Amino acid sequence: MKLGLSSVLLFTSAVYSIKCDNFQQHVLQDKDIPIVKSVAIIGGGAAGTSAAFWLSNVFPHEGSIQVTSTIFERNSYLGGRSTTVPIKGDYSLGTIELGASIFVEANKNLMMATEKFGLNKTKLTSLEKEISAKNRPGLGVWNGQEFLFEESGSYWDSMKALWRYGLTPLKFQRKQKEVVKRFMDLYDTGHGFEHISDIVDSLEYQSLLNMTAEAYLKELGINERFSQEILQTATRGNYCQDLNALHALAVMVSMEAGQGTWSVESGNYNIFEEFARRSQAAVQLQTKVIAINNITEVDTNGHAVQRYVIETLDGTSQVFDEVILAAPIKFSGIHEFPFPTKQEERPYHAVYVTLIAGHPDPSYFGKTLENMPTFVVSTGAPLVDKFESGQAPFNTFSVHRFLENGESVIKIFSPKELEDEYLDQLFLDRSWTYRKGWHAFPQLEPVVKGQPFPSFILKTDEHDGSGIIYTGAFENFISVR
């Protein structure tokens, strides 16, 4: 699973261009006295921490308009899905990420952040070096009975791909680069967007969003074998969703990982902790927001000003000038808003991660330990007839660490929680098993023509001059979690 933060620059532009008028609405007579506005940010993941950071850059603390941010996070940590857990509960054995473990080079915001924050990023992990030294295969595409495609790490991989898929990969790559380049141009856009539909129109992405990836690839004349074995491998690895369910933009974004992926050596969560720290935001961990309500106050000039009351589960309330909701409405846990929100909710895709320390049984895959791929991706529709229940029991099965005692640390992503009975088929023995369920991604199904996206500004109606900024407006455009 990859991190999706490529939208943050767009979101920041939206904050600046749309909300700046609110910050300057009531100008004090004494120009030497700064205008101070308070912002509540609900959610301490990638969107929330980066929002605090970008706000502090747009409105510096020594400026004439100053912003103080407070991040409310219901968990005991920042970083959302980039959180790590100690292997076997023992930090001396290292940690492993429960979710987002890589980001693509095209993600300029994360690439910039690692450089600006002095974080060491790496393409080739110590694990990959060790795997290379052991001559273990890398990727294996498994249909429940056999591996349809395997990477050995040698130049023969290119020859095998050419033999199996012909020139189709080159044809797809040209189109994929064209689509991604249009998206990359948004980093240099000098204005913000209030609605996702404006971005879609600007990028001419309508056809990509209105069709399934499967239908779009057929229209392009992409070889079905390549689509089902390679392109669907990418979407199952990144979004745990198949080509017949995803819109076409999702497969284009998924394949960007082929251009290079990175990770922070000490853990990707460090990026988001740095976002929060450098923003100088007040951070309230283990604090669950349950209600947002309007309140009208009178400022020093006698003007009526609308503000927001943030109520938390512990019974306390705080008042803010602005609110940024940096969590999906559906799973925010907020039961009271100053306006209807049901129409803004989008369905999310459930993903389960299982971390295991033990000795995998390669015979389950018809392999030996020496020739067992270290990153197995199962096939999806329509290549599911070899699976017992007509559906692969897992999406990915990957080695993440080798321990000194000979055990491997494996991460498995699956559509359902994996029971011990099934894990016993995959492993000769297990000394540690850790499970976690995520609503990791919006369901990236095709968007019906004319169907509105959620707005960046949630408000009562289009005539309402105020509202809450909602980062989840990207839901079912593309995943930004």
Side-chain angles (χ1 to χ4, degrees):
M1 297 162 71
K2 63 182 176 51
L3 296 173
L5 199 64
S6 53
S7 62
V8 171
L9 186 60
L10 304 180
F11 167 62
T12 306
S13 299
V15 171
Y16 184 80
S17 62
I18 296 167
K19 301 294 284 183
C20 191
D21 288 343
N22 289 351
F23 285 124
Q24 302 183 63
Q25 190 170 359
H26 307 300
V27 179
L28 299 176
Q29 296 301 310
D30 188 344
K31 63 182 180 181
D32 294 327
I33 300 176
I35 300 171
V36 180
K37 293 290 182 178
S38 56
V39 178
I41 301 174
I42 302 170
T49 56
S50 59
F53 176 78
W54 293 116
L55 279 173
S56 69
N57 279 264
V58 174
F59 302 104
H61 293 285
E62 66 276 6
S64 59
I65 302 174
Q66 299 175 7
V67 173
T68 62
S69 298
T70 300
I71 298 174
F72 293 90
E73 172 53 55
R74 61 185 175 186
N75 292 307
S76 60
Y77 56 85
L78 296 174
R81 288 191 297 109
S82 66
T83 185
T84 62
V85 295
I87 296 171
K88 296 188 178 186
D90 184 352
Y91 281 98
S92 69
L93 296 177
T95 60
I96 182 170
E97 284 163 317
L98 271 174
S101 56
I102 58 173
F103 51 92
V104 296
E105 191 161 324
N107 193 324
K108 288 188 178 181
N109 286 304
L110 290 187
M111 295 294 286
M112 175 280 297
T114 56
E115 293 177 12
K116 185 177 180 65
F117 302 159
L119 301 173
N120 293 325
K121 63 181 187 296
T122 179
K123 274 189 173 180
L124 188 64
T125 66
S126 57
L127 168 67
E128 290 170 316
K129 293 175 183 175
E130 189 172 351
I131 289 172
S132 179
K134 292 176 181 287
N135 291 317
R136 289 277 298 275
L139 170 68
V141 181
W142 187 64
N143 72 351
Q145 189 174 84
E146 63 181 329
F147 285 95
L148 302 180
F149 181 81
E150 295 178 67
E151 286 182 341
S152 63
S154 72
Y155 73 93
W156 284 110
D157 290 339
S158 299
M159 298 300 293
K160 286 189 295 185
L162 182 63
W163 173 80
R164 191 166 182 84
Y165 308 118
L167 297 178
T168 293
L170 296 177
K171 183 178 183 179
F172 174 81
Q173 187 180 55
R174 284 194 295 269
K175 188 64 178 179
Q176 191 264 348
K177 283 184 176 180
E178 174 197 320
V179 170
V180 172
K181 183 183 183 303
R182 275 184 270 159
F183 189 88
M184 297 296 289
D185 289 342
L186 285 176
Y187 281 98
D188 300 318
T189 299
H191 61 86
F193 300 89
E194 184 172 355
H195 300 286
I196 290 294
S197 56
D198 296 332
I199 299 176
V200 174
D201 292 343
S202 173
L203 298 175
E204 299 180 354
Y205 275 178
Q206 295 92 337
S207 62
L208 288 166
L209 292 171
N210 295 152
M211 301 174 67
T212 65
E214 181 181 58
Y216 183 76
L217 293 169
K218 285 181 180 178
E219 188 176 277
L220 288 180
I222 300 300
N223 180 300
E224 283 193 11
R225 175 180 281 183
F226 180 70
S227 294
Q228 295 165 5
E229 295 180 8
I230 300 302
L231 301 183
Q232 189 157 259
T233 290
T235 64
R236 288 176 66 77
N238 287 326
Y239 297 128
C240 298
Q241 298 172 57
D242 290 348
L243 296 177
N244 64 354
L246 291 159
H247 56 58
L249 179 60
V251 71
M252 297 301 189
V253 173
S254 290
M255 288 304 289
E256 189 60 24
Q259 307 304 316
T261 58
W262 294 87
S263 61
V264 174
E265 285 185 345
S266 52
N268 292 324
Y269 70 89
N270 285 278
I271 301 173
F272 309 114
E273 288 189 350
E274 282 294 312
F275 273 144
R277 185 180 70 82
R278 292 171 185 254
S279 73
Q280 298 182 40
V283 178
Q284 297 189 21
L285 298 176
Q286 295 180 295
T287 306
K288 183 177 180 179
V289 174
I290 59 172
I292 304 172
N293 288 294
N294 285 336
I295 186 173
T296 301
E297 297 185 337
V298 178
D299 66 12
T300 55
N301 294 320
H303 297 130
V305 180
Q306 180 175 291
R307 305 183 77 197
Y308 298 93
V309 178
I310 301 296
E311 182 183 342
T312 53
L313 187 61
D314 61 7
T316 62
S317 298
Q318 298 178 57
V319 179
F320 293 88
D321 294 299
E322 307 290 342
V323 176
I324 297 174
L325 178 57
I329 293 175
K330 188 177 180 69
F331 304 110
S332 66
I334 301 172
H335 59 72
E336 190 173 344
F337 286 90
F339 38 70
T341 60
K342 191 68 178 176
Q343 71 278 8
E344 307 292 357
E345 293 184 7
R346 295 294 184 271
Y348 268 72
H349 190 77
V351 178
Y352 294 86
V353 59
T354 308
L355 306 177
I356 296 169
H359 295 91
D361 185 356
S363 67
Y364 178 88
F365 298 96
K367 292 288 186 178
T368 66
L369 189 60
E370 290 71 26
N371 63 13
M372 172 68 191
T374 53
F375 181 51
V376 179
V377 182
S378 62
T379 54
L383 305 179
V384 294
D385 58 303
K386 301 294 193 297
F387 295 108
E388 187 174 317
S389 60
Q391 181 187 45
F394 64 82
N395 293 79
T396 62
F397 178 98
S398 54
V399 179
H400 278 250
R401 198 75 53 86
F402 294 115
L403 301 181
E404 290 184 1
N405 66 358
E407 290 182 318
S408 298
V409 179
I410 308 289
K411 180 189 289 188
I412 306 173
F413 286 113
S414 59
K416 299 178 181 178
E417 184 173 305
L418 299 180
E419 302 293 339
D420 287 338
E421 182 180 357
Y422 176 68
L423 294 178
D424 288 342
Q425 297 177 46
L426 287 173
F427 289 83
L428 297 170
D429 58 70
R430 293 179 286 130
S431 63
W432 177 65
T433 303
Y434 188 102
R435 295 176 174 89
K436 171 72 177 180
W438 299 102
H439 284 99
F441 314 105
Q443 289 184 12
L444 298 172
E445 65 240 4
V447 179
V448 178
K449 290 182 180 179
Q451 176 186 338
F453 288 96
S455 174
F456 281 116
I457 309 297
L458 303 179
K459 51 191 178 183
T460 304
D461 56 53
E462 61 182 12
H463 304 295
D464 189 352
S466 61
I468 292 172
I469 294 177
Y470 180 45
T471 65
F474 282 90
E475 291 167 356
N476 87 314
F477 169 61
I478 203 65
S479 171
V480 298
R481 302 191 73 205

